[in-house]
């Protein structure tokens, strides 16, 4: 099986924007993906501390991911199941954790 790639600088076959909407008061928002559940994917852009935009990419047309909050030295995973980004669909995938 081909590994997933989560860097927008790669030549992966599929990619899509993921936008996380969360009213951040402390810490930072990152994504963790099935490519490496221990790696933090940093946002490419942030709007007013409430919307965080990421680009995810993969050789497959889908990718599981989860938003996380880093507050100091603590990592907090968002509640619930992993999210699915269908990378072959147009437009951004919006998440409200």
């Amino acid at each position: 099986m081909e590994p997933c790639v989560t860097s927008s600088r790669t030549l992966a076959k599929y990619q899509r924007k993921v936008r996380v909407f969360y009213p951040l008061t402390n810490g930072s928002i990152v994504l963790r993906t099935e490519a490496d559940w221990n790696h933090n994917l940093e946002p490419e852009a942030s709007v007013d501390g409430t919307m965080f935009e990421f680009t995810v990419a993969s050789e497959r047309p889908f990718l599981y991911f989860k938003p996380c909050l880093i507050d100091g030295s603590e990592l907090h995973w968002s509640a619930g199941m992993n999210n699915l980004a269908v990378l072959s669909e147009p437009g951004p995938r919006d998440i409200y954790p």
Side-chain angles (χ1 to χ4, degrees):
M1 175 177 6
E2 289 285 322
C4 294
V5 181
T6 58
S7 170
S8 62
R9 295 179 293 253
T10 66
L11 298 175
K13 187 173 181 180
Y14 301 97
Q15 72 177 19
R16 189 171 183 196
K17 295 285 185 187
V18 171
R19 299 187 305 190
V20 177
F21 292 83
Y22 185 80
L24 188 64
T25 56
N26 293 323
S28 59
I29 298 291
V30 297
L31 280 189
R32 295 266 178 117
T33 72
E34 66 178 309
D36 182 350
W37 290 113
N38 295 310
H39 174 75
N40 294 331
L41 183 61
E42 301 288 335
E44 296 171 348
S46 176
V47 177
D48 298 333
T50 60
M51 190 276 290
F52 304 87
E53 187 173 84
F54 304 83
T55 298
V56 294
S58 177
E59 291 299 316
R60 300 180 306 178
F62 60 89
L63 182 72
Y64 286 97
F65 68 94
K66 198 160 190 97
C68 297
L69 170 66
I70 297 178
D71 189 8
S73 63
E74 295 186 31
L75 175 74
H76 305 278
W77 294 78
S78 63
M81 307 260 317
N82 296 335
N83 296 283
L84 176 65
V86 178
L87 305 180
S88 59
E89 289 184 354
R93 172 77 161 94
D94 292 344
I95 300 296
Y96 300 84

